Amino acid sequence: KEQIGKLVVPNGWSSEHGPHEDGCSYNQEIVWDLYTNYVKAADILGVDKEFRDRIAGQRDKLLWPGIGSFGQLMEWMEEQPGEKTDHHRHTSHLFGLYPGHQFTVETTSNLTKAASVSLEHRGIDPSYEVKEWSFAWRTALYARLKDAENAHLLFRQLFADRNTCPNMFGLHPPMQIDGNFGITAAVAEMLVQSHADFVEVLPALPKDWKTGHVKGLRARGGHQLDIYWENNSLKSVLIKSIIAGDLKVKSGNTVKSVKVTPSKP
């Protein structure tokens, strides 16, 4: 019943995995992200209203992924045999969590919980098909789930002998650069996130990173942040912005609105 009247991408594929079918979650989430980004851009620029409204209407009719028999985020419209013991290297159906922004802890807790179940069942055992770049992507996924300790575990696993060469290049095998580049994005997500309507500092700070700082991280909207923390708590954040306006900043459960201006950090 939930599928009636919904729009689906035809003959899709979940990236090197499973059958070609209509409405694969990976394809649906990419289209949702594309449409949402377009609508937001059109609103900011004040252009293309007729086409913008058409795209917004289509986006709102897109089929969203369901939740399967063991609580997982479904990868296809219909649950496939053996999903509970599926340890594939890809997690394409979690695109809507990262790098997309369709699912967030604040707005779609049922789907982020299902994404967590999917990650847990994919697993990281050496006997599974997980690859070095998988650890980079999954670090970022756990960061978006605000699961600092699992993000840190996957971060550390990337540097295990089975995943990284002695010269620090990713070990697929053979060498593959995806994990090296991907983990930089994942670490940034652990320290600052801005895909929602606020900038969140230290959203997934692991216990082992007790004291530290990071400088020059960028946030959506034209903001640059220098962040300092002690004893696993935020000490200060310096924000440099290229535009003036009000900015919502979140740390833990606290959200504050601050005025930013290009002339004064």
Side-chain angles (χ1 to χ4, degrees):
K1 292 180 180 180
E2 293 178 357
Q3 299 171 3
I4 296 174
K6 298 296 184 180
L7 294 177
V8 297
V9 178
N11 194 31
W13 193 35
S14 194
S15 292
E16 303 178 8
H17 186 39
H20 285 72
E21 289 192 354
D22 297 345
C24 290
S25 295
Y26 172 58
N27 305 145
Q28 297 294 118
E29 292 161 21
I30 287 179
V31 173
W32 187 95
D33 213 60
L34 172 65
Y35 281 12
T36 299
N37 290 340
Y38 170 76
V39 168
K40 186 175 182 179
D43 288 344
I44 291 172
L45 297 173
V47 299
D48 300 338
K49 186 179 187 311
E50 183 178 351
F51 188 63
R52 175 257 183 232
D53 291 346
R54 175 183 168 191
I55 292 300
Q58 291 184 0
R59 178 201 57 191
D60 294 343
K61 292 182 180 179
L62 286 170
L63 180 70
W64 281 48
I67 297 175
S69 62
F70 57 95
Q72 86 279 19
L73 192 78
M74 288 177 62
E75 194 162 356
W76 300 275
M77 279 202 300
E78 305 294 339
E79 190 163 339
Q80 303 294 319
E83 283 194 37
K84 196 169 186 178
T85 55
D86 183 0
H87 306 303
H88 197 267
R89 60 191 176 276
H90 281 284
T91 48
S92 300
H93 57 311
L94 304 186
F95 178 95
L97 178 62
Y98 181 90
H101 62 289
Q102 187 173 0
F103 318 136
T104 70
V105 171
E106 292 81 10
T107 62
T108 56
S109 59
N110 60 328
L111 294 177
T112 52
K113 182 178 179 180
S116 180
V117 172
S118 290
L119 276 173
E120 181 183 352
H121 279 83
R122 275 293 203 262
I124 61 171
D125 189 275
S127 65
Y128 298 163
E129 203 189 11
V130 61
K131 302 295 184 181
E132 44 76 51
W133 55 262
S134 307
F135 288 90
W137 191 356
R138 296 180 193 189
T139 299
L141 288 167
Y142 275 120
R144 283 281 177 93
L145 291 170
K146 316 293 177 69
D147 187 340
E149 298 314 311
N150 269 321
H152 189 227
L153 171 65
L154 274 289
F155 171 79
R156 293 175 61 197
Q157 284 291 317
L158 175 64
F159 296 102
D161 289 343
R162 67 176 170 130
N163 293 318
T164 297
C165 303
N167 68 352
M168 299 294 284
F169 283 179
L171 179 63
H172 190 264
M175 180 265 162
Q176 192 164 328
I177 202 66
D178 301 40
N180 294 92
F181 288 157
I183 200 62
T184 62
V187 170
E189 287 294 319
M190 295 171 73
L191 298 174
V192 63
Q193 295 179 18
S194 59
H195 56 287
D197 63 347
F198 51 83
V199 173
E200 184 168 7
V201 292
L202 306 182
L205 184 71
K207 294 177 181 178
D208 281 359
W209 297 359
K210 187 174 181 180
T211 298
H213 69 267
V214 61
K215 295 183 177 182
L217 283 182
R218 301 302 297 264
R220 292 166 181 81
H223 312 291
Q224 179 176 307
L225 287 78
D226 299 343
I227 307 169
Y228 301 82
W229 66 92
E230 289 182 357
N231 297 318
N232 297 109
S233 296
L234 178 67
K235 181 181 179 183
S236 65
V237 54
L238 182 70
I239 304 171
K240 304 172 185 177
S241 300
I242 62 173
I243 59 173
D246 294 322
L247 176 66
K248 286 193 290 186
V249 182
K250 181 179 181 181
S251 174
N253 294 321
T254 301
V255 180
K256 291 186 177 181
S257 182
V258 297
K259 289 191 177 295
V260 294
T261 175
S263 62
K264 184 180 180 182

Short mmCIF file of all heavy atoms in Angstrom, two decimals, residues 213-234:
data_model
loop_
_atom_site.label_atom_id
_atom_site.label_comp_id
_atom_site.label_asym_id
_atom_site.label_seq_id
_atom_site.Cartn_x
_atom_site.Cartn_y
_atom_site.Cartn_z
N HIS A 213 42.35 20.05 19.14
CA HIS A 213 41.78 21.16 18.39
C HIS A 213 41.86 20.85 16.90
O HIS A 213 42.63 20.00 16.47
CB HIS A 213 42.49 22.48 18.72
CG HIS A 213 43.89 22.54 18.21
ND1 HIS A 213 44.98 22.17 18.98
CD2 HIS A 213 44.41 22.94 17.02
CE1 HIS A 213 46.09 22.33 18.29
NE2 HIS A 213 45.77 22.79 17.09
N VAL A 214 41.05 21.56 16.14
CA VAL A 214 41.07 21.46 14.69
C VAL A 214 40.83 22.85 14.14
O VAL A 214 40.04 23.62 14.69
CB VAL A 214 40.01 20.45 14.17
CG1 VAL A 214 38.61 20.87 14.56
CG2 VAL A 214 40.12 20.25 12.67
N LYS A 215 41.54 23.20 13.08
CA LYS A 215 41.41 24.54 12.52
C LYS A 215 41.04 24.46 11.04
O LYS A 215 41.51 23.60 10.31
CB LYS A 215 42.73 25.32 12.67
CG LYS A 215 43.12 25.61 14.11
CD LYS A 215 44.40 26.45 14.17
CE LYS A 215 44.75 26.82 15.60
NZ LYS A 215 45.96 27.69 15.66
N GLY A 216 40.18 25.40 10.63
CA GLY A 216 39.90 25.56 9.21
C GLY A 216 38.86 24.64 8.63
O GLY A 216 38.72 24.58 7.40
N LEU A 217 38.10 23.94 9.45
CA LEU A 217 37.03 23.09 8.90
C LEU A 217 35.91 23.97 8.36
O LEU A 217 35.51 24.95 8.99
CB LEU A 217 36.48 22.15 9.97
CG LEU A 217 37.33 20.93 10.30
CD1 LEU A 217 36.62 20.06 11.34
CD2 LEU A 217 37.62 20.10 9.05
N ARG A 218 35.39 23.60 7.19
CA ARG A 218 34.35 24.40 6.56
C ARG A 218 32.97 23.82 6.86
O ARG A 218 32.79 22.61 6.93
CB ARG A 218 34.56 24.45 5.04
CG ARG A 218 35.90 25.02 4.62
CD ARG A 218 36.12 26.43 5.15
NE ARG A 218 35.16 27.39 4.62
CZ ARG A 218 35.39 28.18 3.57
NH1 ARG A 218 36.56 28.12 2.94
NH2 ARG A 218 34.47 29.02 3.16
N ALA A 219 32.01 24.73 7.00
CA ALA A 219 30.61 24.35 7.20
C ALA A 219 29.78 24.98 6.10
O ALA A 219 30.12 26.06 5.57
CB ALA A 219 30.11 24.81 8.56
N ARG A 220 28.69 24.33 5.73
CA ARG A 220 27.81 24.86 4.69
C ARG A 220 27.31 26.25 5.06
O ARG A 220 27.03 26.52 6.23
CB ARG A 220 26.63 23.90 4.48
CG ARG A 220 27.02 22.57 3.86
CD ARG A 220 25.88 21.56 3.99
NE ARG A 220 26.21 20.26 3.44
CZ ARG A 220 26.92 19.33 4.08
NH1 ARG A 220 27.38 19.58 5.29
NH2 ARG A 220 27.17 18.17 3.50
N GLY A 221 27.20 27.10 4.04
CA GLY A 221 26.73 28.46 4.27
C GLY A 221 27.84 29.49 4.31
O GLY A 221 27.59 30.67 4.57
N GLY A 222 29.09 29.05 4.08
CA GLY A 222 30.20 30.00 4.03
C GLY A 222 30.86 30.25 5.37
O GLY A 222 31.30 31.38 5.65
N HIS A 223 30.97 29.21 6.19
CA HIS A 223 31.56 29.36 7.53
C HIS A 223 32.82 28.50 7.66
O HIS A 223 32.88 27.39 7.14
CB HIS A 223 30.55 28.97 8.61
CG HIS A 223 29.21 29.60 8.42
ND1 HIS A 223 28.99 30.94 8.59
CD2 HIS A 223 28.01 29.05 8.05
CE1 HIS A 223 27.72 31.21 8.34
NE2 HIS A 223 27.10 30.08 8.01
N GLN A 224 33.78 29.02 8.37
CA GLN A 224 35.02 28.29 8.68
C GLN A 224 35.19 28.25 10.19
O GLN A 224 35.04 29.28 10.87
CB GLN A 224 36.21 28.98 8.01
CG GLN A 224 37.55 28.31 8.29
CD GLN A 224 38.68 28.96 7.53
OE1 GLN A 224 38.62 29.13 6.32
NE2 GLN A 224 39.73 29.36 8.26
N LEU A 225 35.53 27.06 10.72
CA LEU A 225 35.56 26.89 12.17
C LEU A 225 36.92 26.43 12.67
O LEU A 225 37.55 25.55 12.08
CB LEU A 225 34.51 25.85 12.60
CG LEU A 225 33.04 26.27 12.57
CD1 LEU A 225 32.50 26.25 11.15
CD2 LEU A 225 32.21 25.36 13.45
N ASP A 226 37.35 27.03 13.78
CA ASP A 226 38.46 26.53 14.60
C ASP A 226 37.85 26.06 15.91
O ASP A 226 37.20 26.85 16.61
CB ASP A 226 39.49 27.63 14.88
CG ASP A 226 40.12 28.18 13.61
OD1 ASP A 226 40.03 27.53 12.55
OD2 ASP A 226 40.72 29.28 13.69
N ILE A 227 38.04 24.78 16.23
CA ILE A 227 37.36 24.17 17.39
C ILE A 227 38.39 23.68 18.39
O ILE A 227 39.37 23.03 18.01
CB ILE A 227 36.45 23.01 16.94
CG1 ILE A 227 35.49 23.47 15.83
CG2 ILE A 227 35.66 22.45 18.11
CD1 ILE A 227 34.74 22.32 15.16
N TYR A 228 38.16 23.96 19.66
CA TYR A 228 39.05 23.53 20.74
C TYR A 228 38.23 22.79 21.79
O TYR A 228 37.13 23.22 22.14
CB TYR A 228 39.75 24.74 21.38
CG TYR A 228 40.57 25.56 20.42
CD1 TYR A 228 39.96 26.51 19.60
CD2 TYR A 228 41.94 25.38 20.33
CE1 TYR A 228 40.71 27.26 18.70
CE2 TYR A 228 42.71 26.14 19.45
CZ TYR A 228 42.09 27.07 18.63
OH TYR A 228 42.84 27.80 17.75
N TRP A 229 38.78 21.66 22.29
CA TRP A 229 38.07 20.93 23.34
C TRP A 229 39.04 20.39 24.39
O TRP A 229 40.22 20.17 24.12
CB TRP A 229 37.23 19.80 22.73
CG TRP A 229 38.00 18.68 22.08
CD1 TRP A 229 38.42 17.51 22.65
CD2 TRP A 229 38.43 18.61 20.71
NE1 TRP A 229 39.07 16.72 21.74
CE2 TRP A 229 39.08 17.37 20.54
CE3 TRP A 229 38.31 19.47 19.61
CZ2 TRP A 229 39.63 16.98 19.31
CZ3 TRP A 229 38.85 19.08 18.39
CH2 TRP A 229 39.50 17.85 18.26
N GLU A 230 38.54 20.23 25.60
CA GLU A 230 39.29 19.68 26.73
C GLU A 230 38.40 18.72 27.50
O GLU A 230 37.20 18.99 27.68
CB GLU A 230 39.78 20.79 27.67
CG GLU A 230 40.90 21.64 27.11
CD GLU A 230 41.38 22.68 28.11
OE1 GLU A 230 40.78 22.75 29.22
OE2 GLU A 230 42.33 23.40 27.81
N ASN A 231 38.96 17.62 27.96
CA ASN A 231 38.22 16.62 28.75
C ASN A 231 36.92 16.22 28.05
O ASN A 231 35.86 16.13 28.68
CB ASN A 231 37.93 17.16 30.16
CG ASN A 231 39.20 17.41 30.93
OD1 ASN A 231 40.14 16.61 30.89
ND2 ASN A 231 39.26 18.53 31.63
N ASN A 232 37.02 16.04 26.73
CA ASN A 232 35.89 15.59 25.90
C ASN A 232 34.73 16.58 25.84
O ASN A 232 33.61 16.22 25.49
CB ASN A 232 35.38 14.22 26.36
CG ASN A 232 36.42 13.13 26.21
OD1 ASN A 232 36.96 12.64 27.19
ND2 ASN A 232 36.70 12.76 24.97
N SER A 233 35.00 17.84 26.19
CA SER A 233 33.96 18.86 26.14
C SER A 233 34.46 20.07 25.35
O SER A 233 35.65 20.42 25.39
CB SER A 233 33.57 19.32 27.56
OG SER A 233 33.00 18.25 28.28
N LEU A 234 33.54 20.72 24.67
CA LEU A 234 33.88 21.90 23.89
C LEU A 234 34.40 23.01 24.80
O LEU A 234 33.78 23.34 25.82
CB LEU A 234 32.64 22.40 23.13
CG LEU A 234 32.82 23.67 22.30
CD1 LEU A 234 33.77 23.43 21.14
CD2 LEU A 234 31.47 24.17 21.80
#
